[in-house]
Amino acid sequence: MYKKVISQMSGQFSCIEKTVSGQNPIYIPLDPANTDYAEYLLWEAIDGNTIADAD
Amino acid sequence: MSLILDGTNGITNLTSINSGQLGGRRNLVMNGEMKVAQRTTSSAGLGADAMTRVLDRWGLVTNTGDSATAGRVTMAQVADGPSGFANCLKLTTTTADTSIAAGEVMLIQHAFEGQDLQGIYKGVSGAKQVTVSFYVKGNANATYTCELFDRDNLRTIGQAFAVTTDWNRIELTFAADEDDGSSPFDDDNNVSLHIQIFLHGGSTFSGGTFVNNTWANQTNNTRMAESHTSILDATSRTFFITGVQMEIGATATDFEHRSYGEELLLCQRYFQQWGGDLAYGYFGGVASITTTSNAFMPLLCTVEMRANPTFAFVGAASVYDLRNNGNASHPLTGLAGDQLTKTVAGITLTRSNGDLTADVPGQLIGNNSTVGRLQLSADI
């Protein structure tokens, strides 16, 4: 559902890919003011939820 | 209401000058006239997702999971309104839900950043009243609840209002919330306040005793007025709203009309998109082809966004064509976010066929399709 994206420009972990079945992925910046990132942090805080490594 | 002129407060109860508006920038609401709908002008079957946006800055909120409603609505921008208003937001019930579980809720919501509300003096000494006004109508008489929800301090205040089959202006002055001086809005770019219109809800939101126009710490079962209508009670049910204004003070002044361009720029702080106009139209800036299968392209934001934005694209990757090296066509096989900031969003473009010419610029255009749209969202 959530996967790290490594920037092609910087080589660093720059955003998160979120996939939902049947929809295009969205890409979420690592910004606490971004509501999608805030939602990710809530998901990550649940025991057992771990973001997938980048391809 | 009499006009009052004194040396302390100046002019009080002045609602207009020469039958027109008093001046600009009184209305704290963006897109209150329902002019801007960048994403789409209509979306059907809504009710299953926590938040859906059709018109800019207006969201439809429902509970999900065990508290989800079976009801469904269509939300649309339609060409209807009282005199002086060309558009409104219309909700049409397409699937009724008369078996209302406790936790069900459906409301429309507008969000404000805290840094835009400091003039209200919320939660501090000298707190001011605010007045919310809007035009509404429906297919039949109804009673709904308009709420101000202080997200920073989890405090609420609500007032019931009536809907008839004719356009009527509702004017609701909300009490000042001085509280104990310890609940100001944060001075930042996060959400501090919602205007919410409850259109449907279960006992979780109505089981207690609703107290009209009184600030209180959030207690869910007192948030909806008594004798509340459910917009989901029949498939004939409709709800129309436009001309939403929130202003400091106890007087509802004439609606502050802004140009489409002004409203669009305000909305683009929260959502921007490229494409969709021409079958071979351009998207964003010039792409740098870094390898035979990858390129990097910046999207230069029209205005600085509220926060670093989420990147999304509409349609299959193949509706985007990366022209490169003699204008040769290279439909994409993938798009992704890379470095996303408030002013520039860098995205990557993939052509897995490996036939791009590296170190030569490229230009992303539509692949004979108006489906594709590149979108940045920093909404709240």
Side-chain angles (χ1 to χ4, degrees):
Chain A
M1 188 178 184
Y2 289 103
K3 185 169 67 174
K4 291 181 180 177
V5 174
I6 304 300
S7 167
Q8 292 195 14
M9 298 302 279
S10 70
Q12 298 178 338
F13 174 30
S14 63
C15 64
I16 295 168
E17 179 185 272
K18 178 183 179 184
T19 53
V20 175
S21 178
Q23 299 177 15
N24 284 343
I26 64 171
Y27 294 87
I28 302 167
L30 312 180
D31 180 355
N34 180 293
T35 54
D36 293 314
Y37 186 67
E39 184 182 318
Y40 159 75
L41 292 176
L42 290 174
W43 174 85
E44 187 195 37
I46 298 170
D47 250 5
N49 286 346
T50 306
I51 188 170
D53 286 332
D55 293 330
Chain B
M1 191 183 303
S2 301
L3 194 65
I4 301 169
L5 178 63
D6 67 48
T8 303
N9 298 310
I11 302 171
T12 304
N13 297 336
L14 180 65
T15 58
S16 70
I17 294 175
N18 293 330
S19 301
Q21 72 176 53
L22 294 168
R25 288 291 180 269
R26 288 171 295 101
N27 190 2
L28 295 164
V29 172
M30 297 175 191
N31 201 25
E33 211 170 342
M34 311 301 178
K35 287 180 173 180
V36 183
Q38 295 185 81
R39 297 168 177 85
T40 182
T41 56
S42 182
S43 187
L46 307 181
D49 295 328
M51 163 68 81
T52 308
R53 300 181 195 281
V54 176
L55 289 86
D56 284 55
R57 305 307 336 281
W58 293 95
L60 181 76
V61 176
T62 57
N63 267 341
T64 58
D66 293 340
S67 297
T69 176
R72 294 291 180 267
V73 298
T74 295
M75 183 161 57
Q77 178 193 49
V78 298
D80 192 357
S83 297
F85 294 86
N87 297 289
C88 70
L89 182 159
K90 179 185 180 185
L91 289 174
T92 305
T93 299
T94 53
T95 303
D97 178 7
T98 55
S99 177
I100 307 173
E104 289 185 18
V105 72
M106 179 176 284
L107 55 87
I108 58 172
Q109 182 186 80
H110 185 84
F112 300 89
E113 296 175 45
Q115 61 190 358
D116 292 337
L117 299 176
Q118 298 300 305
I120 296 175
Y121 297 5
K122 165 76 178 58
V124 299
S125 177
K128 298 181 179 181
Q129 295 169 294
V130 296
T131 297
V132 176
S133 54
F134 47 86
Y135 294 86
V136 284
K137 72 171 184 177
N139 68 306
N141 290 354
T143 300
Y144 299 116
T145 306
C146 177
E147 178 188 79
L148 301 184
F149 179 26
D150 170 359
R151 281 281 301 272
D152 287 333
N153 306 289
L154 301 181
R155 289 172 61 77
T156 66
I157 185 172
Q159 294 193 52
F161 65 92
V163 173
T164 72
T165 55
D166 296 319
W167 282 107
N168 286 303
R169 192 181 197 206
I170 307 298
E171 300 176 354
L172 305 171
T173 295
F174 288 89
D177 188 23
E178 200 160 294
D179 198 13
D180 58 0
S182 63
S183 60
F185 288 139
D186 296 339
D187 182 25
D188 61 20
N189 61 343
N190 292 317
V191 60
S192 286
L193 183 74
H194 288 299
I195 292 178
Q196 306 194 134
I197 295 182
F198 282 84
L199 299 167
H200 168 85
S203 59
T204 297
F205 299 93
S206 61
T209 302
F210 176 78
V211 180
N212 201 59
N213 201 16
T214 303
W215 281 102
N217 291 333
Q218 179 182 347
T219 305
N220 276 340
N221 67 7
T222 63
R223 295 177 74 175
M224 283 173 46
E226 294 162 9
S227 304
H228 204 280
T229 305
S230 166
I231 195 172
L232 301 176
D233 64 1
T235 53
S236 57
R237 185 69 74 174
T238 57
F239 176 75
F240 301 73
I241 184 168
T242 193
V244 186
Q245 178 154 288
M246 186 175 85
E247 57 196 309
I248 295 172
T251 302
T253 64
D254 283 1
F255 182 80
E256 177 189 314
H257 293 274
R258 300 182 191 127
S259 71
Y260 178 83
E262 286 177 284
E263 289 288 6
L264 178 61
L265 282 172
L266 292 172
C267 294
Q268 285 178 329
R269 177 170 171 79
Y270 304 89
F271 180 83
Q272 300 183 26
Q273 70 176 1
W274 290 259
D277 297 324
L278 297 170
Y280 295 98
Y282 290 86
F283 295 93
V286 174
S288 301
I289 316 294
T290 51
T291 70
T292 56
S293 57
N294 283 292
F296 181 85
M297 188 177 83
L299 296 171
L300 305 179
C301 299
T302 306
V303 298
E304 180 176 299
M305 302 198 74
R306 181 191 66 83
N308 293 342
T310 296
F311 168 69
F313 61 96
V314 176
S318 59
V319 304
Y320 303 87
D321 184 0
L322 182 55
R323 295 297 178 98
N324 164 241
N325 196 20
N327 202 29
S329 175
H330 305 92
L332 297 181
T333 55
L335 299 92
D338 191 90
Q339 298 186 100
L340 306 167
T341 75
K342 296 176 183 177
T343 53
V344 183
I347 64 172
T348 56
L349 313 174
T350 304
R351 167 78 173 170
S352 58
N353 311 48
D355 55 0
L356 298 172
T357 303
D359 303 324
V360 174
Q363 183 66 54
L364 190 66
I365 66 171
N367 187 16
N368 191 21
S369 170
T370 56
V371 170
R373 286 179 176 79
L374 306 181
Q375 300 180 326
L376 299 177
S377 176
D379 223 321
I380 45 178

